[in-house]
Amino acid sequence: TRPMPNGLPTYSSQLACCKAAYAGQTSGVCLSQLPSPPTMSPTGAGGLDVYYPDYATAYSNAGCINTRPMPNGLPTYSSQLA
C-alpha cells in the first residue's frame, strides 16, 4: 500500500514479512495469503525419484513418468528404462 507509513520495517518479500512480523501467528492467515502458501503436507520440487506407468494416457501415446502426485497402487521403476 502506498504511501508507506513512516517508521515501519520493510521486507524484501511477503514471505520475509510473514516470518518476521507474524512469526507467532497461530491462525496462519499471513502465510495463507502468499501466492503459493505452504501446506501441512508439502511436496518436493521437480519430479519423483521413481517412474510409474502413465495409465491415464492412451497406450499408443503413453510412457513412464515421474510427475507429482503419484497415484497409489502403481508399480514403480528406478528409471524410464528399468
Side-chain angles (χ1 to χ4, degrees):
T1 305
R2 301 212 185 259
M4 187 169 59
N6 290 330
L8 292 181
T10 59
Y11 303 95
S12 60
S13 68
Q14 187 176 1
L15 176 59
C17 177
C18 287
K19 289 172 81 174
Y22 298 96
Q25 187 182 52
T26 58
S27 67
V29 171
C30 189
L31 291 174
S32 74
Q33 295 172 345
L34 293 169
S36 296
T39 66
M40 293 304 291
S41 52
T43 57
L48 298 167
D49 292 333
V50 296
Y51 290 84
Y52 60 93
D54 181 11
Y55 292 143
T57 301
Y59 182 83
S60 59
N61 295 323
C64 289
I65 58 176
N66 70 340
T67 56
R68 296 177 188 272
M70 184 178 83
N72 291 328
L74 295 180
T76 61
Y77 305 95
S78 59
S79 73
Q80 284 182 302
L81 298 174

